[in-house]
């Protein structure tokens, strides 16, 4: 049983881990001071690529093309880059025990890793239908997408079942993006979700109506208001049918499940203060335990502009929270301080020829503006959310770079709005004037 000691350990192998490592390198670390420990076999990478370019039938994205930190236009950190920067990259290593009081981590192989400062960047894991006891959910070709191994299994299934029938369970990010990817690969695709419309945590009924009609026109069948209640399998164990709660049965060669995720915090239960399903932090991502920080999906942090605490599952926050934590650590060592994290919520997605961005908060009344006709070759429309007479959120499909920057600006400024009708009339020009 080996024991190693480091000044800093980043635990995790996703986006936050990569961006934290990059920031340490920027700030300056001595060789041997920093280790990144990941259970995955590859260096940290930009996870959004897995549900987009990785699944394309032609010109598909592959590593090393999307290692961190290319997603934000930064340096690509290849495995050898970590070594060159004096960072020890410890891959294929699952940590099974964390003792925050003793400042030690223990791997499945029994190796012990000691640290002075720990950054928890363990991210999330997918919710699986087997977790809910759904009958037949362990059949082959019922697939999930979180890590690159999952994506490789999906690529293999797409090749093996070329032009077959796919059922996508879930109507959120993964459901929409993977339905599009499967359709592009000429699968017969059916989406199933229990809510009254897709992306209900963000989209209004009007926005969702556009995407549902667009997807239907692309050949995706959509079934709302029910869930997968069971699966039947072929004699070889591969999934054959999806049984829906409403009594319908769907044939399936592949099933992809995207019904949410949960933060990976179990290693730290009872050792650190938690809130809203995550590890509670301050505006510098310090937890309740000295010298322990939490970033990305696992962190429940103060959302300064709304006077609230939230946990945010999105790549933009994963990048920025990791950078903030490292800046705070290094500043404190020099007796200085950094500004509090002041995050503007940002979400985006790309599928088919569509591309949307959202900034701010989707609360209050909402209004739609622009051309939301799904039959148009280049639809371009948006929405504002207004609460207390102020614009608090902004969304746009098909916006230009400048228009998307204007969305961010208006959501940050939260200007007064004369009336909802006036917002509809002005459209994107309202944001452009801020």
């Amino acid at each position: 049983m080996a024991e190693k000691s480091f000044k800093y350990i980043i635990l995790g192998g996703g986006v936050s881990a990569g961006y934290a490592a990059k920031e340490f390198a920027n700030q300056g670390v001595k060789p041997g001071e920093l280790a990144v420990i990941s259970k995955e076999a590859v260096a940290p990478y930009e996870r959004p690529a897995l549900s987009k370019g990785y699944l394309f039938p032609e010109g598909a994205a592959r590593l090393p093309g999307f290692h961190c930190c290319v997603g934000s236009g930064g340096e690509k950190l290849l495995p050898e880059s970590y070594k060159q920067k004096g960072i020890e990259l410890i891959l294929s290593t699952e940590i099974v025990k964390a003792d925050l009081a003793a400042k030690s981590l223990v791997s499945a192989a029994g190796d012990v890793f000691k640290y002075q400062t720990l950054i928890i960047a363990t991210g999330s894991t997918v919710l699986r239908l087997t977790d809910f006891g759904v009958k037949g959910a362990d059949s082959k070709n019922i697939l999930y997408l979180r890590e690159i191994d999952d994506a490789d299994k999906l690529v293999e299934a797409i090749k093996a079942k070329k032009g077959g029938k796919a059922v996508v369970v879930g109507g959120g990010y993964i459901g929409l993006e993977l339905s599009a990817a499967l359709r592009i690969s000429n699968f017969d695709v059916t989406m199933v979700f229990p809510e009254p419309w897709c992306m209900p945590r963000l989209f209004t009924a009007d926005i969702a109506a556009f995407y549902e009609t667009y997807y239907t026109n692309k050949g995706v069948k959509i079934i709302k208001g029910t869930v997968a209640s069971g699966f039947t399998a072929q004699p070889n164990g591969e999934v054959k049918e999806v049984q829906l709660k409403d009594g319908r049965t769907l044939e399936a060669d592949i099933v992809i499940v995207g019904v949410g995720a949960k933060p990976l915090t179990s290693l730290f239960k009872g050792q650190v203060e938690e809130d809203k399903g995550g590890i509670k932090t301050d505006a510098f991502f310090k937890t309740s335990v000295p010298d322990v920080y939490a970033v990305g999906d696992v962190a429940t942090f103060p959302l300064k502009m709304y006077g609230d605490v939230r946990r945010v599952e999105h790549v933009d926050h994963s990048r920025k929270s990791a950078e903030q934590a490292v800046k705070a650590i290094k500043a404190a060592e020099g007796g200085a301080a950094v500004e509090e994290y002041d995050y503007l919520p940002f979400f985006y997605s790309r599928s088919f020829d569509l591309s949307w961005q959202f900034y701010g908060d989707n609360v209050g009344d909402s209004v739609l503006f622009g051309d939301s006709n799904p039959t148009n070759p280049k639809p371009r429309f948006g929405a504002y959310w207004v609460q207390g007479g102020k614009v608090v959120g902004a969304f746009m499909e098909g916006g230009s770079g400048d228009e998307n920057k204007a969305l961010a600006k208006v959501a940050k400024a939260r200007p007064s709005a004369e009336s909802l009708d006036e917002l509809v009339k002005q459209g994107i020009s309202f944001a452009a004037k801020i």
Side-chain angles (χ1 to χ4, degrees):
M1 186 172 74
E3 181 171 313
K4 286 189 172 184
S5 295
F6 299 92
K7 186 173 183 180
Y8 315 103
I9 288 180
I10 300 166
L11 180 57
V15 172
S16 282
Y19 279 75
K22 179 204 71 169
E23 190 58 36
F24 268 118
N26 291 348
Q27 296 277 338
V29 284
K30 294 173 185 173
E33 281 190 334
L34 170 63
V36 178
I37 303 176
S38 171
K39 70 180 179 67
E40 292 194 67
V42 297
Y45 55 91
E46 304 279 2
R47 288 200 198 281
L50 299 183
S51 61
K52 300 176 179 69
Y54 205 82
L55 304 177
F56 287 171
E58 295 176 10
R62 288 292 180 270
L63 289 175
F66 57 93
H67 278 299
C68 297
C69 302
V70 297
S72 60
E75 179 187 359
K76 186 192 299 178
L77 294 179
L78 302 170
E80 55 268 30
S81 307
Y82 290 84
K83 192 172 184 179
Q84 290 163 3
K85 295 176 187 296
I87 300 168
E88 188 159 345
L89 186 59
I90 303 169
L91 302 175
S92 302
T93 301
E94 183 178 7
I95 297 300
V96 295
K97 184 184 177 186
D99 187 335
L100 301 185
K103 294 192 168 185
S104 75
L105 307 171
V106 182
S107 75
D111 295 325
V112 177
F113 301 94
K114 295 276 192 177
Y115 62 85
Q116 293 176 38
T117 300
L118 174 67
I119 296 181
I120 300 168
T122 43
S124 296
T125 186
V126 294
L127 294 173
R128 296 178 179 272
L129 295 182
T130 48
D131 299 340
F132 304 103
V134 177
K135 186 181 177 184
D138 56 351
S139 302
K140 294 175 186 174
N141 286 343
I142 297 180
L143 304 168
Y144 299 81
L145 184 61
R146 179 68 192 178
E147 299 176 353
I148 200 156
D149 285 350
D150 300 323
D152 286 338
K153 288 175 188 172
L154 184 49
V155 168
E156 287 174 20
I158 287 171
K159 288 177 181 174
K161 302 296 181 181
K162 194 172 182 179
K165 294 180 184 294
V167 175
V168 177
V169 179
Y173 266 110
I174 292 296
L176 286 167
E177 291 185 355
L178 294 193
S179 291
L182 288 162
R183 197 66 202 104
I184 289 167
S185 290
N186 293 317
F187 271 77
D188 180 324
V189 181
T190 303
M191 259 179 101
V192 179
F193 51 90
E195 298 89 358
W197 61 78
C198 66
M199 285 285 288
R201 288 166 63 184
L202 177 60
F203 289 176
T204 63
D206 288 343
I207 294 173
F210 164 84
Y211 291 98
E212 289 175 10
T213 304
Y214 187 98
Y215 272 58
T216 300
N217 291 344
K218 287 285 188 181
V220 177
K221 295 183 275 295
I222 297 175
I223 298 175
K224 300 184 277 190
T226 191
V227 296
S229 59
F231 301 89
T232 58
Q234 307 274 13
N236 64 1
E238 292 183 356
V239 68
K240 178 184 178 185
E241 293 173 330
V242 183
Q243 295 155 345
L244 303 183
K245 195 174 182 180
D246 67 6
R248 281 182 275 186
T249 299
L250 306 174
E251 290 180 26
D253 298 300
I254 299 175
V255 174
I256 301 175
V257 182
V259 293
K262 58 183 177 184
L264 286 166
T265 59
S266 58
L267 280 172
F268 316 102
K269 291 283 181 190
Q271 301 185 71
V272 66
E273 194 175 340
E274 295 185 63
D275 193 11
K276 295 187 176 178
I279 297 170
K280 189 176 182 180
T281 76
D282 64 11
F284 310 101
F285 295 97
K286 288 169 66 175
T287 71
S288 59
V289 178
D291 304 316
V292 176
Y293 293 72
V295 296
D297 288 5
V298 298
T300 300
F301 64 97
L303 203 52
K304 186 177 179 181
M305 64 185 295
Y306 301 127
D308 191 11
V309 294
R310 293 188 195 175
R311 195 175 64 79
V312 174
E313 292 178 6
H314 194 266
V315 64
D316 181 61
H317 164 66
S318 291
R319 293 168 180 154
K320 291 174 179 173
S321 59
E323 292 168 347
Q324 170 75 353
V326 176
K327 287 174 182 174
I329 289 166
K330 297 298 282 184
E333 289 175 357
V338 295
E339 290 186 11
E340 292 184 340
Y341 191 61
D342 189 10
Y343 184 65
L344 173 67
F346 166 55
F347 301 95
Y348 72 90
S349 184
R350 295 187 299 273
S351 57
F352 291 121
D353 294 323
L354 303 174
S355 175
W356 60 260
Q357 294 193 9
F358 168 85
Y359 294 87
D361 214 5
N362 60 333
V363 293
D365 298 320
S366 64
V367 290
L368 210 61
F369 64 82
D371 176 12
S372 58
N373 183 346
T375 63
N376 284 355
K378 288 192 175 180
R380 184 172 163 276
F381 71 96
Y384 293 116
W385 282 259
V386 179
Q387 187 178 54
K390 294 181 182 296
V391 175
V392 296
F395 166 97
M396 190 148 190
E397 166 62 49
S400 66
D402 286 343
E403 286 170 339
N404 289 330
K405 285 177 185 174
L407 292 186
K409 208 170 174 184
V410 77
K412 188 81 173 174
R414 289 181 285 174
S416 297
E418 287 180 34
S419 70
L420 298 180
D421 288 342
E422 189 60 27
L423 281 176
V424 175
K425 186 178 173 183
Q426 291 191 37
I428 191 63
S429 65
F430 176 85
K433 290 186 295 186
I434 302 303

